[in-house]
Amino acid sequence: MSEQEDNLAQEIRADAERRAERRRQAAEREARAILDAARKEAAETARMVLDRSDEWVERLESVGRARLEQRVASLRLRRRREVLERVRAEALEALARLTEAEGYPDVLTELAARAVEAMSGEQFALGLRPRDRERWGRSLPAAVERAVRDRTGRAVRVTLSDDAPDASGGLVVRGAGGGELADQTFEARMERLWPEIESRVAPLVIDAQEGRP
């Protein structure tokens, strides 16, 4: 992975972690609210059965505790999924905003060059979003050719294809004949990076739910 590509991956991870951190307090408050509600419900159950036999009370309390534990676990799991899904969506939104940054053409060049370097053959076609094709379509193929030649000494021919990926940014690279394809759209890259990001973000959400600092 090149320095520029590595920086992009690090930015995705850092942005996801920042957004998860901002939700720690909200998740912690919700966890406390769930536990408070559980305690109140348990107390109410206990009051309702005070006049019954010890055996009957114990049975009801046991059932009540089990149900409350299931409810708390379900709510925590749902909340965890919601937070992670929101982090992922907002990370994609942040990436989409990069398409308006000054360095976005360099990002496209790097993503395409890395894909070409990993593929065989000499001819490749770039699939760009309509907006990116309009703005960078004339210059991007030559820029990718130069990047590959400068880094590897390999002479390749790069053109534009009719592909128009439905994506927030990035591009698709196809080899001659369509036998090889590299999906370098932001969504596809996020899909590949997400397991690593999730493994870093999920513990923050769990800690917040359990009230750990």
Side-chain angles (χ1 to χ4, degrees):
M1 182 179 290
S2 69
E3 180 178 355
Q4 189 172 21
E5 194 173 20
D6 185 56
N7 289 339
L8 179 60
Q10 290 181 14
E11 185 173 356
I12 295 173
R13 289 192 293 268
D15 184 73
E17 290 178 24
R18 287 194 299 269
R19 295 178 186 280
E21 183 65 24
R22 289 199 295 269
R23 285 174 173 76
R24 282 174 59 89
Q25 293 184 354
E28 187 175 353
R29 288 195 299 271
E30 182 169 337
R32 286 199 299 266
I34 292 172
L35 292 174
D36 287 342
R39 293 189 186 99
K40 290 178 181 178
E41 188 169 338
E44 181 63 23
T45 300
R47 284 194 296 271
M48 291 174 59
V49 297
L50 280 177
D51 58 340
R52 304 188 182 184
S53 68
D54 292 342
E55 181 180 352
W56 182 240
V57 170
E58 184 177 351
R59 185 186 307 172
L60 285 180
E61 288 181 341
S62 176
V63 171
R65 280 195 301 270
R67 289 177 178 173
L68 288 172
E69 289 172 359
Q70 290 176 356
R71 180 183 174 193
V72 169
S74 176
L75 288 173
R76 283 182 169 176
L77 180 61
R78 185 180 68 185
R79 176 60 177 171
R80 191 180 310 162
R81 285 198 301 264
E82 289 173 353
V83 171
L84 290 173
E85 288 171 2
R86 197 176 308 156
V87 166
R88 182 169 180 163
E90 293 182 0
L92 281 171
E93 290 174 4
L95 280 174
R97 290 193 292 272
L98 291 178
T99 62
E100 301 301 324
E102 183 178 352
Y104 179 56
D106 295 332
V107 172
L108 290 176
T109 300
E110 181 65 20
L111 291 175
R114 284 294 171 180
V116 168
E117 290 169 5
M119 299 162 74
S120 60
E122 298 178 353
Q123 297 186 12
F124 303 89
L126 309 180
L128 297 170
R129 301 182 309 155
R131 178 175 174 80
D132 292 342
R133 185 187 183 101
E134 180 181 348
R135 299 172 68 185
W136 318 112
R138 292 184 179 180
S139 60
L140 188 61
V144 175
E145 291 175 355
R146 285 194 301 272
V148 174
R149 183 176 60 250
D150 291 346
R151 293 203 302 237
T152 68
R154 181 179 165 197
V156 297
R157 175 168 174 75
V158 180
T159 59
L160 297 180
S161 73
D162 294 330
D163 291 340
D166 182 15
S168 61
L171 74 171
V172 173
V173 183
R174 290 185 182 273
E180 291 183 290
L181 181 146
D183 190 340
Q184 293 284 63
T185 60
F186 287 168
E187 283 78 2
R189 291 183 61 77
M190 174 64 78
E191 188 68 27
R192 295 193 290 269
L193 284 169
W194 182 247
E196 178 186 351
I197 296 171
E198 185 177 28
S199 69
R200 296 166 66 104
V201 174
L204 299 177
V205 179
I206 294 171
D207 287 349
Q209 288 179 330
E210 295 180 354
R212 293 200 295 263

